[in-house]
Amino acid sequence: NLALRRGLFFPAAEIYSNAPAGFFDYGPEGVKIRRKIIDFWRREFVEKEGFLEIHGAQILPEPVFKASGHLDNFNDPIIQCKKCHAFFRADKILEEKTGQNVPEAASTEDLDKLVAQHKLVCGKCKGQLDKVKKFNMMMKVMIGASNDVPCYLRPETCQNIFLDFTRVYKLSRKTLPLGLAQVGCSFRNEIAPRQQLLRERELGQMETEVFFNPAKINEVGRWDEVKGYKLNLLRLGKEVEAVPCQRAVDEKMVSGKLVAYYLARVQQLYEKYGIPNAKLRFRELDEETRAFYAKETWDFEAETDLGWIELIACNYRTDYDLRRHGQESKADQALKEEGDQDPFIPHVFEVSIGLDRPFYMLLDLGLRKEKRGPEERVMLDLNQRLAPYFVAVFPLQKKDGLYEKAWAVHELLRDHGLES
């Protein structure tokens, strides 16, 4: 309600009653907050770590997604009501009914059994539900004068990074590990967009892919800065525990120092955003739940009024992406570091940050209500790094040239880069 009244964000094309759900526009104040989230990430996570930033195309050719596995694996299980023909995500209605997570890799047959076991019916008309089917979430576009070249809107920003890695690596003359970052939009044909910015069809991402030599996963130059820092880890079958990075490596909770290092930098970033440490955690995903390309996954989550929500996917993608793109394109993705005998395909550790979810979370955690007599005042208590305005100038009287003086102060502040 506050976001709508202040114009922070609102449904796209809202004056049309038949506008599809899952698309949002940001108003002037929302754009300022959103931009500051990006600028802070760029300064604290990209520039301080020496990463390079690219800007990739949003539409990519079909072979890219054949190689990446999205055409075969980027599916959600859907189920349709036989009576009112409404569609639902089968795993989500099962989770709402049982309160338990449904594995991402669950087959349609397994889901059908669970639907029957729990006697699920349509949430709208109580009608009987049909069999579960797999629905590919890719958004297809045809281009060219003959409209005969199949392409897709990218479902994640990282594919541009994988495609550009070899060129950027050679041009930059940097050594591994090398992080490439990108800010942009991704597109997913969600079955049932809901909870406003938490599940959209067009979503913002701040994505980083760290390319490294797998034989040197435990060679991290700035390890001493984080080895004693405690990660809030929710491991499989365990309670949340604050674990020092060094212990996480020694006890093989993570694949190596490089993974622990970047998990620490992620948690520190959100502490700097102003989120209390107690409201942050990394949740380990098992083999059935994590994405098809991942060897290890930690979902970074924050606690809000809606419960724990995922903000970041931290995936150890091995050499899956470079290897697959090399096979499909016939382009050699291997490289050889100085002093090494044999060429190798770099491995990748991914930090995929949603942009709209942190925006929503910061509003949620910053919402304040206070009573002033019979009225209730609603406001946002935002971290000063993210507030849309840093300073305000108020001429309290309209006399003696005070307004002109105030305007001169306003211009002086703006010329020095302060928003007012």
Side-chain angles (χ1 to χ4, degrees):
N1 180 270
L2 179 66
L4 286 172
R5 287 192 291 107
R6 300 287 177 87
L8 299 179
F9 67 89
F10 37 85
E14 63 179 338
I15 63 174
Y16 287 89
S17 60
N18 60 348
F23 299 93
F24 289 90
D25 291 344
Y26 285 78
E29 312 301 320
V31 165
K32 289 184 177 182
I33 297 171
R34 198 171 188 264
R35 187 178 70 243
K36 288 194 174 185
I37 292 173
I38 296 172
D39 290 344
F40 191 76
W41 162 81
R42 180 176 285 123
R43 184 171 63 253
E44 293 292 326
F45 194 75
V46 177
E47 294 175 356
K48 283 189 176 181
E49 294 301 319
F51 297 156
L52 303 177
E53 190 172 349
I54 69 164
H55 179 80
Q58 295 184 143
I59 296 176
L60 294 169
E62 187 173 64
V64 169
F65 301 108
K66 179 182 177 182
S68 70
H70 283 85
L71 292 182
D72 295 325
N73 298 298
F74 199 60
N75 302 309
D76 270 349
I78 64 169
I79 193 166
Q80 186 177 23
C81 175
K82 292 182 177 180
K83 182 178 178 182
C84 71
H85 306 297
F87 284 99
F88 305 92
R89 269 189 61 169
D91 55 340
K92 292 304 176 186
I93 61 173
L94 280 165
E95 287 173 2
E96 290 169 1
K97 175 73 174 179
T98 65
Q100 299 177 344
N101 289 330
V102 175
E104 186 173 299
S107 67
T108 54
E109 293 78 11
D110 291 338
L111 293 171
D112 283 332
K113 291 176 182 177
L114 288 170
V115 169
Q117 177 185 334
H118 294 285
K119 300 178 180 179
L120 293 187
V121 295
C122 175
K124 293 185 175 181
C125 72
K126 307 302 179 185
Q128 184 181 0
L129 296 173
D130 208 338
K131 296 289 185 181
V132 177
K133 299 177 182 178
K134 290 291 186 179
F135 173 75
N136 190 278
M137 295 188 293
M138 300 286 290
M139 290 190 183
K140 191 172 186 177
V141 292
M142 303 298 289
I143 65 171
S146 301
N147 203 35
D148 59 354
V149 180
C151 295
Y152 290 87
L153 288 164
R154 63 188 183 191
E156 54 185 10
T157 56
C158 63
Q159 294 306 318
N160 302 91
I161 296 175
F162 300 136
L163 298 175
D164 294 347
F165 168 71
T166 302
R167 176 181 288 275
V168 175
Y169 175 73
K170 291 177 180 178
L171 290 173
S172 70
R173 299 183 180 274
K174 286 181 173 286
T175 58
L176 299 184
L178 173 61
L180 298 187
Q182 179 176 206
V183 180
C185 287
S186 296
F187 303 86
R188 302 176 181 182
N189 193 12
E190 292 282 355
I191 300 159
R194 56 182 180 170
Q195 293 180 318
Q196 299 172 62
L197 300 181
L198 299 189
R199 190 165 293 279
E200 307 166 274
R201 289 185 167 122
E202 179 183 354
L203 57 144
Q205 285 187 294
M206 303 181 294
E207 197 138 31
T208 304
E209 309 297 326
V210 181
F211 299 83
F212 65 95
N213 185 337
K216 300 178 181 179
I217 193 172
N218 285 314
E219 296 180 19
V220 178
R222 298 167 65 185
W223 178 247
D224 287 345
E225 295 179 16
V226 304
K227 66 181 183 180
Y229 179 76
K230 294 181 178 179
L231 301 169
N232 296 334
L233 300 184
L234 177 59
R235 290 180 290 156
L236 297 172
K238 307 283 187 180
E239 298 292 329
V240 177
E241 182 182 4
V243 180
C245 288
Q246 186 67 58
R247 181 185 154 204
V249 173
D250 292 343
E251 298 183 12
K252 301 189 183 305
M253 299 178 192
V254 297
S255 297
K257 287 183 178 179
L258 184 137
V259 173
Y261 177 84
Y262 287 111
L263 293 183
R265 292 311 193 202
V266 164
Q267 187 169 295
Q268 289 171 343
L269 174 68
Y270 276 77
E271 289 173 347
K272 291 177 181 177
Y273 272 138
I275 311 304
N277 179 275
K279 290 184 174 290
L280 301 171
R281 73 183 186 190
F282 289 97
R283 182 169 61 87
E284 185 181 13
L285 272 59
D286 61 25
E287 187 175 357
E288 290 186 337
T289 308
R290 59 180 179 252
F292 59 89
Y293 47 72
K295 172 185 175 182
E296 175 185 357
T297 296
W298 296 91
D299 276 354
F300 185 62
E301 300 176 328
E303 187 178 23
T304 70
D305 285 344
L306 297 174
W308 289 92
I309 62 171
E310 177 196 344
L311 301 177
I312 305 174
C314 301
N315 295 303
Y316 182 8
R317 300 178 73 124
T318 67
D319 64 351
Y320 174 87
D321 302 279
L322 292 182
R323 177 171 45 81
R324 290 291 298 264
H325 285 305
Q327 291 169 350
E328 183 69 23
S329 67
K330 311 303 181 189
D332 186 10
Q333 300 294 298
L335 55 85
K336 192 161 102 171
E337 290 189 296
E338 187 176 349
D340 286 345
Q341 297 295 319
D342 300 315
F344 65 94
I345 296 177
H347 281 209
V348 174
F349 184 69
E350 172 181 75
V351 179
S352 178
I353 305 178
L355 176 51
D356 305 302
R357 286 190 176 193
F359 180 97
Y360 186 92
M361 175 205 66
L362 290 164
L363 298 187
D364 177 85
L365 296 177
L367 188 66
R368 300 287 183 267
K369 298 178 181 180
E370 66 176 31
K371 282 283 188 180
R372 287 195 172 184
E375 296 183 356
E376 183 179 63
R377 185 185 180 201
V378 181
M379 71 193 85
L380 284 175
D381 180 14
L382 293 176
N383 185 320
Q384 65 180 21
R385 297 183 175 103
L386 308 174
Y389 298 104
F390 186 76
V391 62
V393 181
F394 296 101
L396 300 180
Q397 297 180 7
K398 291 184 178 180
K399 64 178 184 180
D400 300 329
L402 193 59
Y403 177 83
E404 289 75 15
K405 289 290 186 183
W407 183 257
V409 171
H410 170 269
E411 292 295 287
L412 182 64
L413 292 170
R414 192 167 63 177
D415 289 344
H416 281 77
L418 295 177
E419 286 190 280
S420 61

